[in-house]
Amino acid sequence: MGSSEWQFKSRFEPELPVPDVAPRKVATGFLPVIALDRKSSTPLHRQIYDIYRAAIVNGNLAPLQKIPSSRALAAELRISRIPVLSAYAQLLGEGYLESVGGGGTFVSKSLPDRFPSSQHRREETPKVHSGPRPISSRSATLPSFIGAPWLVGRGAFTVGQVAVEHFPFHVWLRLVSRYYKSVRAAPLYFSDPMGSKDFRSSIAKYLRTVRSVKCDADQIMVVSGSQQALDVAARVLLDPGDSVWLEEPGYSLSRRVFMLAGCRLIPVPVDQEGLNVAAGIRLCKNARAAYVTPSHQFPLGATMSSSRRHQLLEWAQQVGAWIIEDDYDSEYRYESSPIASLQGLDRNSRVIYVGTFSKTLYPSLRVGYVVIPTDLVDRFAATRLAMDVYPSDLFQAVLSDFINEGHYSRHLRRTSLLYRERREALVNAIAEQFGSAVQVQGEQSGLHLVATLPEGLDDQQVAKRAAAKNVWAWPLSTCYLGRPVLQGLVLGFGSTPLAEVGPAIRRLNKAIDELR
Amino acid sequence: MGSSEWQFKSRFEPELPVPDVAPRKVATGFLPVIALDRKSSTPLHRQIYDIYRAAIVNGNLAPLQKIPSSRALAAELRISRIPVLSAYAQLLGEGYLESVGGGGTFVSKSLPDRFPSSQHRREETPKVHSGPRPISSRSATLPSFIGAPWLVGRGAFTVGQVAVEHFPFHVWLRLVSRYYKSVRAAPLYFSDPMGSKDFRSSIAKYLRTVRSVKCDADQIMVVSGSQQALDVAARVLLDPGDSVWLEEPGYSLSRRVFMLAGCRLIPVPVDQEGLNVAAGIRLCKNARAAYVTPSHQFPLGATMSSSRRHQLLEWAQQVGAWIIEDDYDSEYRYESSPIASLQGLDRNSRVIYVGTFSKTLYPSLRVGYVVIPTDLVDRFAATRLAMDVYPSDLFQAVLSDFINEGHYSRHLRRTSLLYRERREALVNAIAEQFGSAVQVQGEQSGLHLVATLPEGLDDQQVAKRAAAKNVWAWPLSTCYLGRPVLQGLVLGFGSTPLAEVGPAIRRLNKAIDELR
């Protein structure tokens, strides 16, 4: 084939460098797995042809995917370019590949007719599996991720969302750019499983001031959010079979952490003073831990009273239990005076304090923190190392600057005013539309409130109807581990602009009417 | 105090806005926890004075920390500015606060003499704790994070490091800026626990081409790295007490995942063909899973032979076991032809395939992936939701563009040539300095190699001496779960520039001489 090899040369020359910005979604020339047998009687060009043809027919190389230049492939395989050029020429000739001007060579959009597209991806993973396929008993107990109707969409009143349109991305990007322009090698290689020292110092100073948390930077572990904080705490503190007090009603994602840890879940009722400690002691005095949201109970919104806080701390010290304080949205208070954290009241270091930036900045940032009693720091670090080694560096560096340069406190003040307005608009719209038929509670702070429904209404049916009208409320009944005591809706107001509040509440009213 | 209140007014006026870039490390005016008792006989200005004085003396407000403007504090407390001004005036007068020109009011550098600094931070968390403080039996088994001498520093030959100086940060920053300038709200609120669809499609296409992995985007979960991949896999697949095959010697961080899962660890010897499957069957035929690094066994560097791969897959199907394939640095091969992944050979979907960007980009990026058998996807998603909900959005979006626009394939080619040189320099330097006394293995691929030491040398002593000379090698003996068979050093060459290789090996030689 000596001559024919060369007649195609022009089609491969000149080798243009891949443009700096290629059309998106088109992967460039990754080298496929090509193991050549140099001793084989099959010539190299034929081996290369066969491997590419198979990869294209079975879909491992996708239509329009770029293939390496003959030079790159020859270099990688440490052979001359001649057999590569020959194989490419044949594949081009037979329509498996197409050459786009100087832009390189790609897998053809459509395969040669004699390969019906049905044959495409025939190699895909089998959908039926044989033999035993055991999974762990605990992961088997977790509810499926496939969401309920009120969880599948986003819009008015979605719980846990914030006013991202007010996040100062211009400032943030400036800090990010500064980071990448003066990036140091060390933090790119490795970081402490606890997180970066600078960032932990900023968090410690912030928590001492704003939440009266008693802590030094050494006690702070940076995590991806309150969920990972609960997960690491559960794995350090709890053995399978240990009993844990959970607020009833409560936050379902936190419940799953303790399910996954194999714990016995003890639902303890909450009232206007927060967790009913006496009831908890009656139900299971010797629980190993209590999970609480004292600043703004999720979902009912109560602030735990001073006497309950002291009862809880006394109980923990008496039986040797741990208290996990989830302070998820304590930054926003509209009526009541700010209250100190439970951790700040604790004289026996029995509180593990959990906080997050998901509510004050935005959820997909994935940054939170745990404040760890000094004697547990080493176990938390060792456990976290086994879980995911350490947190990503960028956001720690940028968020330190964001806090230290005053952007965080300013953002908190700005959003606090904003949420106060949104909250008032929501409370007023509910009163206007429903009068006394619907009771609002938990609106003094945080980013959500609860609207209890009139007798005889099923909150899951209401939520389902509402979702169909682009109103995304959580049914209160789904926050109960046991039998629901109240029927109502959890409404988030963080991401709902003023103008949308009224119309959305009117749509909710319609949804309820349809059920009457 | 009517008049005195006003004589200080000028010191607080005008209220300058916080400058856009304040001096670093100085937190701006976060509002402390101030609960005023309006019914109390103590006047408000006195209550505010007392609260601040206490916060400053006990260190909850740190020296030089900025305090809120009188206007901001009055607004927050919903009182007139007069009592605030009065309290600030008294605190300034007594030296607890100092006012810096128009820059605002700060906690004094040094407290008034009558409060010796010993009283500072007297509120800090107690170092002695009373009562039972139980932790989980599994976290108790994990080794402390406090590192061995060869782990505490970084420099020549540190294992797991890469050539960050060759990472195209200018390109990366351009993609990051593009992201923040056109940021959409939805991904800031929430993402799939599996990760973003676009990114998973890019990964799937890449893995099908480069590693012959059989996968669709639906099977891919984005994680923070191979460690989290192993953790989620262990929690989905394994119950406490289940037996797991581990390579002996092997990677100690992976071992800890299975310790934390409460599994029984079965060390299975590796040889030049990789994991000895027959030995594994003799040791524990009915293990529930095997953890393997077939492309480049850690630490010895063998590539698992074809016959061993088929034996392993047959065993797994026969006993209903899972195989966890950690393909941590398969992108870099220098001599041998590329080999397909074990997952690509598996006809029974028993392989969970784990990969990371830590070795090809840089470790603190914290991005990796798991390829999940289709029938396990829902359990993986449900479990991950309970662990940390979902991955951060930024890096997924940026890395999709980085891959789709060709930057990733280019970076892989560039670094591959670079590592080839560094590896050759290291192999030559070892031969030059030690001749036949030191044997090198595992250098055909990846970012580390193993140098076995002459009889009679203790590799931990060598590593300790070497670390003192800024040479950071891992003792091979620490990679064994049981009795070490080989004494040697694991040397990473990813982050060691050519010019440093020779001198560092000479220092290593000195360290060894000192032990003779």
Side-chain angles (χ1 to χ4, degrees):
Chain A
M1 298 185 45
S3 66
S4 68
E5 279 156 11
W6 295 107
Q7 81 196 50
F8 292 101
K9 193 164 187 304
S10 58
R11 297 177 66 166
F12 295 93
E13 295 295 345
E15 298 283 349
L16 293 180
V18 184
D20 208 30
V21 178
R24 291 186 83 249
K25 302 280 167 304
V26 179
T28 56
F30 289 115
L31 293 165
V33 179
I34 298 182
L36 294 179
D37 178 357
R38 285 167 175 72
K39 298 179 205 62
S40 158
S41 62
T42 317
L44 289 178
H45 66 81
R46 182 71 204 185
Q47 290 186 46
I48 296 167
Y49 167 87
D50 290 342
I51 289 162
Y52 265 96
R53 189 176 155 288
I56 291 166
V57 170
N58 71 32
N60 279 358
L61 288 170
L64 290 182
Q65 184 167 341
K66 193 173 187 199
I67 65 164
S69 69
S70 57
R71 182 169 287 138
L73 185 58
E76 173 74 16
L77 300 175
R78 285 180 299 287
I79 59 176
S80 105
R81 272 177 75 204
I82 295 172
V84 179
L85 290 167
S86 160
Y88 279 15
Q90 190 176 353
L91 291 159
L92 281 156
E94 293 179 3
Y96 292 102
L97 301 180
E98 52 192 50
S99 161
V100 180
T105 307
F106 299 81
V107 174
S108 300
K109 260 187 291 334
S110 57
L111 282 187
D113 297 347
R114 66 191 172 291
F115 290 102
S117 58
S118 71
Q119 258 176 284
H120 240 256
R121 310 298 329 285
R122 64 165 178 216
E123 267 254 48
E124 76 191 2
T125 51
K127 292 282 170 286
V128 213
H129 302 102
S130 66
R133 300 176 68 80
I135 64 166
S136 75
S137 51
R138 283 186 224 155
S139 70
T141 65
L142 293 173
S144 169
F145 171 64
I146 294 143
W150 45 85
L151 295 176
V152 296
R154 259 138 201 86
F157 309 138
T158 309
V159 178
Q161 290 188 7
V162 302
V164 285
E165 72 278 16
H166 289 266
F167 185 77
F169 280 108
H170 57 292
V171 173
W172 187 259
L173 177 55
R174 205 183 64 227
L175 299 180
V176 168
S177 306
R178 183 200 294 168
Y179 171 87
Y180 281 122
K181 285 171 180 167
S182 64
V183 69
R184 294 157 305 122
L188 301 181
Y189 289 137
F190 186 79
S191 133
D192 190 321
M194 298 292 286
S196 89
K197 187 77 185 200
D198 285 355
F199 185 39
R200 291 155 60 203
S201 306
S202 309
I203 294 172
K205 183 180 265 181
Y206 168 73
L207 292 177
R208 284 197 302 263
T209 306
V210 176
R211 307 294 304 125
S212 298
V213 169
K214 282 181 261 164
C215 62
D216 296 319
D218 308 341
Q219 292 170 260
I220 294 187
M221 174 184 280
V222 178
V223 290
S224 72
S226 44
Q227 193 73 24
Q228 190 179 41
L230 300 182
D231 193 31
V232 64
R235 295 174 87 174
V236 170
L237 302 176
L238 301 169
D239 278 317
D242 287 345
S243 298
V244 179
W245 289 4
L246 297 178
E247 294 171 326
E248 176 82 336
Y251 181 52
S252 74
L253 266 190
S254 62
R255 210 178 284 151
R256 297 186 194 182
V257 171
F258 302 103
M259 288 168 69
L260 193 57
C263 296
R264 201 175 133 238
L265 309 186
I266 312 292
V268 177
V270 296
D271 56 28
Q272 288 313 310
E273 289 189 69
L275 186 88
N276 185 329
V277 178
I281 291 171
R282 276 195 305 280
L283 287 163
C284 178
K285 185 181 183 187
N286 293 314
R288 278 278 295 274
Y291 168 76
V292 289
T293 53
S295 295
H296 187 227
Q297 198 271 331
F298 191 94
L300 296 180
T303 298
M304 186 180 256
S305 69
S306 170
S307 65
R308 289 280 178 85
R309 286 168 191 254
H310 285 101
Q311 282 176 46
L312 184 61
L313 291 168
E314 275 157 31
W315 162 77
Q317 179 61 9
Q318 191 194 339
V319 304
W322 300 105
I323 297 168
I324 302 172
E325 174 179 25
D326 186 346
D327 213 16
Y328 66 102
D329 70 357
S330 59
E331 288 82 358
Y332 297 112
R333 306 194 68 79
Y334 313 112
E335 289 163 22
S336 48
S337 318
I339 36 97
S341 64
L342 187 61
Q343 196 267 10
L345 285 178
D346 175 19
R347 304 239 160 262
N348 300 298
S349 297
R350 295 215 164 264
V351 175
I352 287 83
Y353 177 91
V354 168
T356 180
F357 289 98
S358 295
K359 304 286 182 285
T360 54
L361 299 179
Y362 56 88
S364 84
L365 188 63
R366 309 312 298 139
V367 183
Y369 42 85
V370 204
V371 182
I372 306 164
T374 50
D375 61 328
L376 298 182
V377 166
D378 176 70
R379 289 300 85 196
F380 269 74
T383 301
R384 200 279 169 74
L385 194 68
M387 288 167 66
D388 68 353
V389 199
Y390 59 89
S392 180
D393 185 61
L394 173 72
F395 292 129
Q396 298 188 74
V398 169
L399 206 33
S400 297
D401 291 348
F402 194 78
I403 292 171
N404 296 333
E405 296 176 12
H407 306 296
Y408 189 52
S409 56
R410 201 172 314 115
H411 186 62
L412 285 178
R413 300 232 178 91
R414 203 181 286 126
T415 48
S416 184
L417 296 171
L418 188 79
Y419 294 140
R420 186 187 295 266
E421 287 176 355
R422 291 180 176 187
R423 173 196 74 128
E424 269 148 33
L426 175 56
V427 171
N428 296 338
I430 291 171
E432 220 176 270
Q433 283 288 310
F434 299 101
S436 61
V438 166
Q439 296 302 318
V440 165
Q441 60 178 289
E443 78 283 14
Q444 297 85 352
S445 61
L447 297 177
H448 74 272
L449 55 75
V450 164
T452 50
L453 292 170
E455 275 304 315
L457 278 171
D458 174 331
D459 58 10
Q460 300 196 34
Q461 281 181 36
V462 172
K464 193 173 165 186
R465 289 275 178 143
K469 298 184 189 306
N470 192 27
V471 175
W472 303 95
W474 288 5
L476 182 55
S477 63
T478 60
C479 299
Y480 286 87
L481 188 56
R483 200 183 52 72
V485 175
L486 295 167
Q487 296 278 315
L489 299 172
V490 186
L491 299 166
F493 49 82
S495 68
T496 311
L498 285 179
E500 289 180 26
V501 172
I505 288 296
R506 285 193 285 281
R507 295 202 300 278
L508 175 61
N509 202 352
K510 274 211 193 60
I512 291 175
D513 284 342
E514 292 171 7
L515 291 166
R516 283 213 174 93
Chain B
M1 294 184 48
S3 65
S4 68
E5 279 158 11
W6 295 108
Q7 81 197 43
F8 292 101
K9 192 165 189 303
S10 60
R11 298 176 67 167
F12 295 94
E13 296 294 346
E15 298 285 348
L16 295 181
V18 184
D20 209 28
V21 177
R24 295 188 80 248
K25 301 283 170 296
V26 179
T28 56
F30 288 116
L31 293 165
V33 179
I34 298 181
L36 295 178
D37 177 357
R38 286 168 174 70
K39 297 179 205 63
S40 157
S41 61
T42 317
L44 290 178
H45 66 80
R46 180 74 204 182
Q47 291 185 45
I48 295 167
Y49 167 86
D50 291 341
I51 289 163
Y52 264 96
R53 188 175 154 291
I56 291 165
V57 171
N58 71 31
N60 278 0
L61 288 171
L64 290 183
Q65 184 168 342
K66 193 173 188 203
I67 65 164
S69 70
S70 55
R71 181 168 287 138
L73 184 59
E76 175 72 15
L77 301 175
R78 284 179 300 284
I79 59 177
S80 106
R81 272 177 75 204
I82 294 171
V84 179
L85 289 166
S86 160
Y88 278 15
Q90 191 176 348
L91 291 160
L92 280 156
E94 295 178 2
Y96 292 103
L97 301 180
E98 52 193 47
S99 161
V100 180
T105 307
F106 298 82
V107 175
S108 300
K109 258 187 292 331
S110 55
L111 282 187
D113 296 346
R114 66 190 173 291
F115 291 102
S117 58
S118 70
Q119 257 177 284
H120 238 253
R121 310 299 330 287
R122 64 169 177 213
E123 269 254 45
E124 75 191 2
T125 50
K127 294 278 169 290
V128 216
H129 303 100
S130 65
R133 300 177 68 80
I135 64 166
S136 74
S137 50
R138 283 186 226 157
S139 70
T141 64
L142 293 174
S144 169
F145 171 62
I146 293 142
W150 46 85
L151 294 176
V152 296
R154 263 147 199 77
F157 309 139
T158 310
V159 178
Q161 291 187 7
V162 303
V164 285
E165 73 277 15
H166 289 264
F167 185 78
F169 281 108
H170 58 290
V171 173
W172 188 259
L173 177 54
R174 203 182 68 227
L175 300 179
V176 168
S177 308
R178 182 200 295 170
Y179 171 87
Y180 281 122
K181 285 171 178 167
S182 63
V183 68
R184 294 158 306 122
L188 302 180
Y189 289 137
F190 187 80
S191 134
D192 190 321
M194 297 292 286
S196 90
K197 187 75 186 205
D198 283 356
F199 185 38
R200 291 155 61 203
S201 305
S202 308
I203 294 172
K205 183 181 269 184
Y206 167 72
L207 291 177
R208 284 197 302 263
T209 307
V210 176
R211 307 294 305 125
S212 298
V213 169
K214 281 180 259 164
C215 63
D216 296 319
D218 308 342
Q219 292 170 262
I220 292 184
M221 173 184 280
V222 179
V223 291
S224 71
S226 45
Q227 193 73 22
Q228 189 179 41
L230 299 182
D231 193 32
V232 63
R235 295 174 87 175
V236 170
L237 302 176
L238 301 169
D239 278 317
D242 286 346
S243 299
V244 180
W245 289 3
L246 299 178
E247 295 170 325
E248 176 82 335
Y251 181 51
S252 73
L253 267 190
S254 62
R255 210 178 283 151
R256 297 185 195 183
V257 171
F258 302 103
M259 288 169 69
L260 192 57
C263 295
R264 202 175 132 238
L265 309 186
I266 313 291
V268 178
V270 295
D271 55 27
Q272 289 313 311
E273 287 189 71
L275 186 89
N276 184 330
V277 178
I281 292 171
R282 276 195 305 279
L283 287 163
C284 178
K285 184 178 183 188
N286 292 312
R288 279 278 295 274
Y291 168 75
V292 288
T293 54
S295 296
H296 186 228
Q297 198 272 331
F298 191 94
L300 296 181
T303 298
M304 188 181 254
S305 69
S306 170
S307 64
R308 288 279 177 86
R309 287 168 190 254
H310 286 101
Q311 282 175 45
L312 184 61
L313 291 168
E314 274 157 33
W315 162 78
Q317 178 62 10
Q318 193 194 339
V319 304
W322 302 105
I323 298 167
I324 302 173
E325 175 179 24
D326 186 346
D327 213 16
Y328 66 103
D329 71 356
S330 58
E331 288 82 358
Y332 297 112
R333 305 194 68 79
Y334 312 111
E335 290 165 19
S336 47
S337 319
I339 35 94
S341 63
L342 188 60
Q343 195 267 11
L345 284 178
D346 175 20
R347 303 240 160 262
N348 299 298
S349 297
R350 296 215 164 263
V351 175
I352 289 82
Y353 178 91
V354 168
T356 180
F357 290 98
S358 295
K359 303 288 181 288
T360 53
L361 299 179
Y362 56 89
S364 85
L365 187 63
R366 310 311 300 139
V367 184
Y369 42 85
V370 202
V371 182
I372 307 165
T374 50
D375 60 329
L376 299 181
V377 166
D378 176 72
R379 289 301 85 196
F380 269 74
T383 301
R384 200 277 168 74
L385 193 69
M387 287 168 66
D388 68 351
V389 199
Y390 59 89
S392 180
D393 185 60
L394 173 72
F395 292 129
Q396 299 188 74
V398 169
L399 206 32
S400 296
D401 291 348
F402 195 78
I403 292 172
N404 295 335
E405 296 177 10
H407 307 297
Y408 189 52
S409 56
R410 201 172 312 115
H411 185 62
L412 285 179
R413 299 232 180 91
R414 203 181 287 127
T415 48
S416 184
L417 296 172
L418 187 79
Y419 294 139
R420 187 186 296 265
E421 286 176 356
R422 292 181 175 186
R423 173 196 74 127
E424 269 149 29
L426 176 55
V427 171
N428 296 339
I430 292 172
E432 219 175 85
Q433 283 288 312
F434 300 101
S436 61
V438 166
Q439 295 304 318
V440 165
Q441 60 177 289
E443 79 284 11
Q444 298 85 351
S445 61
L447 297 176
H448 74 272
L449 55 76
V450 164
T452 50
L453 292 170
E455 276 305 316
L457 277 172
D458 174 333
D459 58 10
Q460 301 196 34
Q461 281 181 35
V462 172
K464 195 174 164 186
R465 289 277 178 139
K469 299 185 188 306
N470 192 28
V471 175
W472 303 94
W474 288 4
L476 183 56
S477 62
T478 60
C479 299
Y480 286 85
L481 188 57
R483 199 184 52 72
V485 176
L486 294 168
Q487 295 278 316
L489 299 173
V490 186
L491 300 166
F493 49 81
S495 67
T496 310
L498 283 181
E500 289 180 27
V501 171
I505 287 295
R506 284 193 286 280
R507 295 202 300 279
L508 175 60
N509 203 351
K510 274 210 194 57
I512 291 174
D513 285 341
E514 291 169 8
L515 291 166
R516 282 214 174 93

